[in-house]
Amino acid sequence: MNKHYLSPLFSPRSVAVIGASNRIDSVGGVVFKNMLESGYQGKLYAVNPNHPEIQGQHAYAGIEQIEETVELAVIITRAATVPNIIEMCGKHGVRFALVLSAGFSETGPQGTALERAIVENARRYGMRLIGPNCLGILCPETGLNATFSKGRAKAGGLALISQSGAFCTAIMDWARPNDVGFSSIISLGAAAGMDFGEILDYLASDPHTQSILLYIEGIQHARSFISALRAAARVKPIFIVKAGRHEAGTKAVFSHTGALVGADDVFDAALQRAGVVRVDTIVQLFSAAKALSTHICPRGNRLAIVTNGGGPGVMATDRAVELGVNIATLSENTLTQLNAVLPATWSHSNPLDIIGDATAERYRHAVTYCMQDEGVDGVLVILTPQAMTQPLEVAQAVIEIAGKFDKPLIACWMGEEQVAESRQLFNQAKISTFRTPEPAVEVFSFISTYYQNQKLLMQTPCPISQRSIPDKEGARLLIEGVLADHRKVLNEMESKAILAAFHIPIAKSMVARTPHEALLIAEELGLPVAMKINSPDISHKSDSGGIRLNLGNAQAVRSAYHDIIQSVQKKNPNARIDGIVVEPMVIKSNGRELMIGVITDPVFGPVITFGAGGVLVEVMGDRAVALPPLNNFLAKNMIRRTRISKLLSAFRNMPPINMEELESILLHVSEMVCELPWIKEMDINPLIVDESGACAVDARMVVDYLPPFVDRYAHMAIHPYPTHLITYWQLPDGTDLMIRPICSEDAQIEQEFVRGLSDESKYFRFMDALKELSQNTLLHFTQIDYDREMALIAVLKQDNQEKELGVCRYVASADGYSCEFALVVADEWQRRGIGNKLMNCLFDAARAKGIKTMEGEVLATNQFMLELVRKLGFKVSTSEEDAAVKHIVKQL
């Protein structure tokens, strides 16, 4: 495995502390002292032009006087001197700089100019930068303590990335007495150079890191953040604390970091799609991380509670209900087993109150039967030290049971003196233990949330346009026409036209500009009709008196025309009025009024909203948000998270709505958002849905001009399915093939493709005697992040089924400029040009992402592949590590 390009930052062979000081109470003095005392084994240099010696070590006047190569420069000087120091470091070949100095963008325009200068100087020399205004980096495993914290950290499996240095010092002070260890602690400061994305990439591959903790105040680069977060979360648990939940906190965060802070529920939605868990406090952060570090297998959120006291069981239940944790319903078989071993006075339900005189054996039976129950996803065991209780014996029994199951098991031994030894035993056994029920339930909720969010992470939408192709070109021309007219708000007719272009059912509408026209249109459409004001300046038509409904005769239609105009002019005298919209009155006796919207978050871009519709939408405050792109699983999940969802199934005398139609509309809206980056806001309100279908009764859109994007999906935080890479190609014998990006629904044909390869082809591709892909590998191959990797498959359609004939893929390196590739074609389809065509398509996809170099490894015995890559322009050389392997490289 190639060494990560950031490895020298965390385990440098040489470090220069520029600004090292003899004053132990200064930042430069503390940093150099920390480096001396941390056990760092590399070469350490002190740089200070005013002293020949620093803390007993030889000091250099400048970095240029150090004759050997320096991998990491730690800079602690006045802000005004830092740009020149970065310049000198670049000339000296320094690869990484850690700028602890303050006085940059946080101080105003002059500081911002200095910050820009250090970034430009670093970029000119290819130097990577962390900071400025940060605490530094600490890696106990390598003995690197380039921080000005006076505390030390124990080595362990947790990695912490924080935008706040003060947060790092507080956690370090808390962690040591609580026996919490770290693989690394990274303070980003202003994050003018490296941000969360690159650091997450490194930690995902770091063998010393088991879990990742983040303290976030704001995000500067949403796409790289989400992309790196999703990649890291596939292999390691990630927990996040984010400041700025409320308006006052958000303002404080912006003044502190300068990072953008979006809506809090949008941030939550982004984290859910990334497969990570958000917690509220430091204690919760570590509790959740420690729980998952015990290698339990997170499942659902059905909790069983075993207790020897009714009160604590009730307390745990109350907290579970507040957090949305389900109290598990025990199976009949489990109840029968429990009745056979528990006293007649036990609670006979969950929570299981097994009575105050419960022995270790009674606990053993109760916990074991709960863990065996298929309807239970985890067990909370509570003990109160009563006169008959034996806390240590019970703890030993619980620990023994925990080793037999992979379900979460959490202990709550209440009290202090009588249970101290038991808690120590739990800690040694790596079982999460708490003093009170509430935080124990919270940790279970985080574990179950992690499980749920991991399911959301695995959702990689395929294009619904494969089933119904939208008129993207027509929608684009309509939007460009509106912008050419120097407007940004589309009227109802225009908004509905775009919805119709994406196969969203609409109520047919026409605009009347006189009462007579209104009557003619009403007769043509069929009475009764609805009439609405048509104005780019009025968003809420009902508030301005701009709506009349259920107009059933000619007199009512003509009167309504005058009434609407007068009402609107009275309440909005400056509003521009462009006639009256007339449409059939949508009457659905079983219809539910819903709302689907689009907003643009300042951090994460377009966001889809769903909830109750109609005139009470703001009052109800019932909205679920999700980042596009969506698929059926995500659409269902979005609907389920709203209060209105309870009214969508059979309710009183009303049948259930057509849920498939509602999900389809959400998918079409998702595709519209992906393909039309001009859209900034949209409301479909109301969307009336009943058992037979749906109809968008009213719609409003706001569009805006586009910046010059490099990437067609640059407006999105999560890269959608790249439909533009779908191509159709014909073999010389007339066989028609499709070449398209892989997606999660291709798992079956990908598995069948690999099974069908000859043993030789499998060995050439995987360099291993592989029989078939494991489930994890299959997920890894088909559920990809299109922002950082691509897999193109050649498929043949036979009897409405697709057969995979070949696949090529690249995975971008963390630097974003190079990638590794792989290619394999089914044995019976080789030497027919498929490999050549796939690779040329892959070249185009990689170039579009800004990738400059493509490389790979081929077994020296694979002569056919070597012949192909030479024709494609690759340079072939023998690998330095293995003579049996050829290293191939192509400049794109």
Side-chain angles (χ1 to χ4, degrees), residues 42 182 260 277 493 528 548 567 573 658 684 687 697 754 825 830:
F182 296 89
L260 283 173
V277 178
M493 300 285 289
R548 298 293 185 275
S567 296
N658 187 332
I684 303 175
L687 173 75
V697 176
V754 173
V825 176
Q830 291 177 6

Side-chain angles (χ1 to χ4, degrees), residues 464-465 468-479 494-506 661 664-679 682 684 701 723:
I464 60 172
S465 58
S468 54
I469 299 174
D471 183 10
K472 291 184 279 190
E473 181 65 14
R476 181 184 66 80
L477 290 174
L478 198 158
I479 291 173
E494 293 163 337
S495 299
K496 285 184 174 178
I498 290 178
L499 296 183
F502 280 80
H503 306 295
I504 297 170
I506 62 171
E661 177 73 4
S664 176
I665 291 173
L666 281 167
L667 296 181
H668 286 302
V669 169
S670 171
E671 188 170 29
M672 183 174 67
V673 168
C674 295
E675 301 299 334
L676 301 178
W678 301 270
I679 295 176
M682 185 198 76
I684 303 175
M701 287 187 192
T723 54

Side-chain angles (χ1 to χ4, degrees), residues 113-399:
L114 287 173
E115 188 172 299
R116 191 180 304 116
I118 67 172
V119 171
E120 290 172 355
N121 288 352
R123 185 179 293 119
R124 187 162 58 254
Y125 291 98
M127 186 190 314
R128 306 319 312 279
L129 176 76
I130 284 188
N133 192 16
C134 67
L135 178 72
I137 294 179
L138 190 150
C139 301
E141 190 72 33
T142 61
L144 177 70
N145 186 358
T147 73
F148 55 90
S149 170
K150 292 186 177 180
R152 299 179 64 184
K154 177 185 173 183
L158 298 180
L160 170 67
I161 316 175
S162 173
Q163 287 179 316
S164 166
F167 187 85
C168 292
T169 58
I171 283 185
M172 288 165 62
D173 189 56
W174 178 90
R176 195 164 186 83
N178 284 278
D179 197 33
V180 174
F182 296 89
S183 61
S184 54
I185 297 174
I186 306 108
S187 166
L188 294 178
M194 278 185 277
D195 203 350
F196 285 105
E198 288 185 80
I199 306 296
L200 281 166
D201 276 324
Y202 168 77
L203 294 176
S205 64
D206 176 31
H208 301 298
T209 299
Q210 297 172 353
S211 302
I212 302 172
L213 316 178
L214 277 70
Y215 172 81
I216 297 176
E217 294 180 344
I219 301 301
Q220 294 178 334
H221 308 291
R223 171 69 73 81
S224 65
F225 171 70
I226 290 294
S227 183
L229 202 61
R230 286 166 62 85
R234 289 178 185 271
V235 293
K236 296 176 183 179
I238 300 178
F239 298 92
I240 291 178
V241 170
K242 178 183 176 288
R245 280 183 175 274
H246 308 291
E247 185 178 356
T250 300
K251 290 178 180 177
V253 164
F254 189 82
S255 65
H256 183 201
T257 66
L260 283 173
V261 181
D264 202 63
D265 58 351
V266 175
F267 188 86
D268 279 341
L271 297 189
Q272 290 166 4
R273 285 294 298 276
V276 304
V277 178
R278 180 178 180 178
V279 299
D280 297 328
T281 67
I282 297 174
V283 175
Q284 291 174 350
L285 189 72
F286 283 115
S287 296
K290 287 178 72 175
L292 282 178
S293 69
T294 59
H295 307 295
I296 59 174
C297 181
R299 299 169 185 265
N301 75 336
R302 298 168 299 179
L303 178 66
I305 303 167
V306 179
T307 175
N308 68 341
V314 173
M315 293 166 62
T317 302
D318 285 345
R319 187 65 182 131
V321 172
E322 291 169 358
L323 295 171
V325 171
N326 291 327
I327 301 301
T329 301
L330 302 177
S331 69
E332 288 299 324
N333 181 55
T334 299
L335 290 171
T336 300
Q337 290 175 312
L338 290 169
N339 284 330
V341 296
L342 296 180
T345 52
W346 81 282
S347 61
H348 296 280
S349 63
N350 184 20
L352 289 76
D353 182 355
I354 59 175
I355 313 307
D357 63 349
T359 62
E361 194 63 22
R362 196 182 296 173
Y363 266 100
R364 185 190 302 276
H365 287 306
V367 175
T368 299
Y369 293 148
C370 286
M371 293 291 271
Q372 290 174 343
D373 193 319
E374 290 298 321
V376 173
D377 298 313
V379 177
L380 167 60
V381 187
I382 302 174
L383 180 142
T384 59
Q386 301 181 34
M388 305 76 72
T389 310
Q390 298 173 314
L392 191 60
E393 286 78 357
V394 176
Q396 290 169 337
V398 169
I399 291 169

Side-chain angles (χ1 to χ4, degrees), residues 589-635:
S589 58
N590 296 321
R592 281 72 146 186
E593 291 193 346
L594 306 174
M595 185 277 294
I596 295 177
V598 173
I599 58 174
T600 299
D601 185 79
V603 177
F604 295 105
V607 177
I608 298 174
T609 68
F610 170 79
V615 295
L616 298 178
V617 61
E618 282 94 354
V619 178
M620 292 284 290
D622 181 28
R623 92 167 181 175
V625 302
L627 268 61
L630 302 178
N631 64 4
N632 285 96
F633 180 91
L634 296 168

Side-chain angles (χ1 to χ4, degrees), residues 755-774:
R755 284 176 184 158
L757 294 173
S758 66
D759 290 342
E760 182 183 55
S761 291
K762 289 177 185 175
Y763 191 77
F764 282 159
R765 166 61 181 91
F766 301 105
M767 299 186 186
D768 192 7
L770 180 80
K771 294 299 181 184
E772 66 175 38
L773 300 177
S774 68

Side-chain angles (χ1 to χ4, degrees), residues 65-136:
Q65 294 187 1
I66 302 173
E67 296 180 356
E68 298 176 356
T69 301
V70 174
E71 286 193 332
L72 173 63
V74 183
I75 302 172
I76 321 152
T77 63
R78 290 181 298 106
T81 66
V82 176
N84 184 58
I85 291 173
I86 292 289
E87 177 89 17
M88 299 305 295
C89 287
K91 290 179 178 178
H92 194 62
V94 176
R95 298 175 61 187
F96 296 95
L98 187 58
V99 182
L100 278 58
S101 310
F104 293 91
S105 57
E106 76 276 9
T107 64
Q110 186 174 354
T112 301
L114 287 173
E115 188 172 299
R116 191 180 304 116
I118 67 172
V119 171
E120 290 172 355
N121 288 352
R123 185 179 293 119
R124 187 162 58 254
Y125 291 98
M127 186 190 314
R128 306 319 312 279
L129 176 76
I130 284 188
N133 192 16
C134 67
L135 178 72

